[in-house]
Amino acid sequence: MHQADSDVAKRNSIAPDFPGKTQRSPEEMNVPSYSAALPDQRAARGIFSHRADNINRRLRIRPLGMVSDFVADQLPHRIAEVKNSERRAEAVKALGRSIDTMLAGEDYEANLLNLTQSEFGVAKTDIQYLVNIAYQMSAFAGLNHDDAELAVGGRLRRIADLSCKQHPSIDVLSYEDMILTNPVESDPRVYCLDSAGVEERDFCLGHQLIERDLHFAIDTLLILRDEAGADARQCLTLFLEHLESANYILTRFHDSMSPDLFGEFREFYGKNPYKNRLAPSGRFSASVVAVSVLLVGQEIFRQKPQFYRDVYRLSEYYPRGCIGAVFGWLSSDKRRAGVRPGWLEGKAAFPKIATVSPVVERKGTEIRELYASCVDALDRFTRMHRKRAFKHTIEPGRPIAGVEASESMAAVLSQRLLTAADQS
């Protein structure tokens, strides 16, 4: 095997689970004609238009048949019924009985095991959307723990446990369920009706578009880091284009998302009221962690080591395959990837080889200046995320997802900033 081919195989073996990662030959990587999928901002321009009728279900994705139909088509209406009911506790229990009766009509456990990988992801999302809303509506109706468990029901709990066993993940609705496997572009899973439902869909879609850009950005950095003879200028230029696209979408969140509509749907994605589990949050985007590690990993460790401590501590909340790839880069012993490494305890040097820094340092002034622009783009991305969170969540005093009671949300949001947080 040629060295370039070996480098490609190595890169693909350690990062197989980043969606959107393209497969290209070494020849395509190292010549001026190389191009990744360039960002297209047209899809982002339509989000947060606040119209009540623009969800276009072009392709129905219903891997669990009647269950998927219920989640996609009926669940928002049933939630509205519960919220408008004068006897909310009974309405929640009735919803739970309806779901349990539906699950009794077919062997959904067997069906789940027979799905393809892509179908399984959407099916797991459907299941976790049901589990989450059973708990959230139980809390809304003031049910105690035992009654909430009855509302969830044994059949739903068993199929949820099976889905988490087949695809190891946290046993509550996760960022992966809500964003990465939710088919929001064609057949969205949402909890709200009308304008709030469209805004909810756009919230998920915006995150998905950002993830797409970040995955291509990761790909360009992996090429630069791992492939001998890679065109550094081309890789960094493409990285910068995708980061600027992600920044554009994040700015749409800040400037165009309705605070009132956000407040209507965000309540359904809060922390599970009956379990000591965190809620789905952009904090658990493994692609943001990957970009941060690849581009400025050593500098983050020098300035904000808590960033790494929290990633390892809360690893179960991240998409398992993606965060596993990152841990593989950061570990000298691939068999123990995911275990807190010695360098995090000061027992070894940070693995600089996990980053693109060694490659950039060997290049000339032009490449180092381009790299600095990439670092600036990433810092603007994390700064805008912090600014948006303050505008829509912290300052209005809404429930905060993705943090524990002992944590400061402001501190968590500042962990990836390489400049002072007050320089927004």
Side-chain angles (χ1 to χ4, degrees):
M1 180 181 289
H2 296 298
Q3 178 62 42
D5 293 328
S6 176
D7 290 338
V8 173
K10 175 184 176 185
R11 176 171 59 84
N12 290 342
S13 69
I14 61 177
D17 295 310
F18 284 111
K21 188 173 72 64
T22 54
Q23 304 294 321
R24 295 180 291 271
S25 69
E27 291 74 20
E28 290 174 314
M29 306 296 185
N30 301 327
V31 297
S33 61
Y34 157 64
S35 64
L38 294 175
D40 182 354
Q41 295 179 352
R42 287 175 296 181
R45 293 191 189 108
I47 63 175
F48 306 124
S49 59
H50 316 311
R51 294 193 300 271
D53 58 355
N54 71 344
I55 292 182
N56 179 20
R57 288 179 166 83
R58 300 186 306 275
L59 175 64
R60 286 162 53 94
I61 303 176
R62 310 293 171 86
L64 286 181
M66 187 182 297
V67 170
S68 295
D69 288 341
F70 182 86
V71 174
D73 300 329
Q74 299 181 43
L75 188 57
H77 296 276
R78 297 297 298 272
I79 293 169
E81 290 174 6
V82 171
K83 296 198 74 173
N84 293 328
S85 174
E86 295 181 358
R87 302 178 63 189
R88 293 171 179 171
E90 292 304 316
V92 171
K93 293 175 183 178
L95 174 60
R97 288 193 296 270
S98 296
I99 294 171
D100 192 65
T101 300
M102 178 176 59
L103 292 174
E106 196 168 335
D107 188 353
Y108 285 102
E109 294 181 50
N111 291 351
L112 190 65
L113 296 175
N114 289 326
L115 297 175
T116 65
Q117 183 176 353
S118 61
E119 291 173 332
F120 182 91
V122 178
K124 180 176 179 294
T125 290
D126 287 333
I127 293 163
Q128 290 299 335
Y129 262 68
L130 285 176
V131 173
N132 179 63
I133 205 59
Y135 281 120
Q136 297 293 344
M137 287 290 94
S138 293
F140 174 76
L143 298 185
N144 62 34
H145 180 270
D146 290 340
D147 284 340
E149 291 298 331
L150 288 174
V152 174
R155 290 187 178 92
L156 180 55
R157 195 177 302 106
R158 282 195 300 274
I159 196 172
D161 290 344
L162 178 61
S163 71
C164 291
K165 181 179 179 181
Q166 289 297 112
H167 181 83
S169 59
I170 197 69
D171 62 344
V172 292
L173 184 71
S174 67
Y175 180 82
E176 183 172 16
D177 300 321
M178 180 184 177
I179 303 299
L180 300 183
T181 59
N182 187 346
V184 292
E185 287 192 271
S186 59
D187 195 23
R189 274 46 171 172
V190 297
Y191 286 136
C192 287
L193 295 169
D194 302 324
S195 296
V198 175
E199 199 81 347
E200 181 183 1
R201 189 282 308 265
D202 287 354
F203 179 85
C204 294
L205 177 58
H207 278 85
Q208 205 168 83
L209 294 173
I210 289 171
E211 289 283 339
R212 190 175 300 169
D213 274 317
L214 293 180
H215 294 151
F216 279 113
I218 290 164
D219 199 24
T220 64
L221 293 183
L222 289 174
I223 293 166
L224 177 60
R225 189 193 69 179
D226 296 339
E227 295 183 10
D231 187 328
R233 182 184 61 80
Q234 186 80 297
C235 288
L236 292 176
T237 297
L238 286 168
F239 173 89
L240 190 58
E241 288 175 350
H242 283 288
L243 253 293
E244 293 297 3
S245 177
N247 278 328
Y248 170 83
I249 299 167
L250 200 56
T251 301
R252 290 280 302 176
F253 274 82
H254 182 271
D255 294 344
S256 303
M257 188 171 71
S258 164
D260 292 337
L261 293 175
F262 174 79
E264 285 189 44
F265 71 77
R266 191 66 186 89
E267 65 180 283
F268 299 113
Y269 298 96
K271 181 177 179 180
N272 187 296
Y274 301 94
K275 294 185 178 184
N276 187 26
R277 297 295 195 190
L278 298 180
S281 166
R283 180 185 189 179
F284 303 124
S285 167
S287 56
V288 173
V289 175
V291 167
S292 301
V293 168
L294 287 166
L295 193 68
V296 288
Q298 186 176 27
E299 188 62 19
I300 287 181
F301 179 58
R302 187 181 72 81
Q303 292 191 29
K304 307 286 178 67
Q306 190 62 36
F307 163 74
Y308 287 103
R309 295 191 185 102
D310 283 352
V311 169
Y312 278 94
R313 179 174 60 88
L314 301 173
S315 61
E316 62 184 341
Y317 291 95
Y318 291 86
R320 194 65 56 91
C322 297
I323 203 64
V326 175
F327 288 155
W329 307 338
L330 295 170
S331 176
S332 58
D333 184 352
K334 305 309 177 189
R335 296 169 299 180
R336 303 186 73 239
V339 177
R340 280 172 65 108
W343 54 264
L344 196 49
E345 311 300 334
K347 299 176 181 177
F350 179 86
K352 192 175 179 180
I353 195 172
T355 76
V356 300
S357 298
V359 177
V360 172
E361 288 170 357
R362 295 194 298 267
K363 303 296 181 180
T365 302
E366 178 190 1
I367 297 302
R368 290 197 294 270
E369 289 178 350
L370 184 55
Y371 170 78
S373 296
C374 293
V375 174
D376 175 71
L378 177 59
D379 205 48
R380 283 187 283 110
F381 177 87
T382 54
R383 189 174 305 285
M384 177 55 73
H385 182 259
R386 184 180 191 275
K387 186 176 180 180
R388 186 193 66 78
F390 270 84
K391 176 181 178 180
H392 290 100
T393 302
I394 298 176
E395 290 173 352
R398 294 193 178 95
I400 295 172
V403 296
E404 296 171 325
S406 61
E407 293 182 299
S408 160
M409 186 61 178
V412 169
L413 289 168
S414 299
Q415 283 177 359
R416 297 165 195 176
L417 295 177
L418 297 182
T419 50
D422 60 0
Q423 293 179 8
S424 300

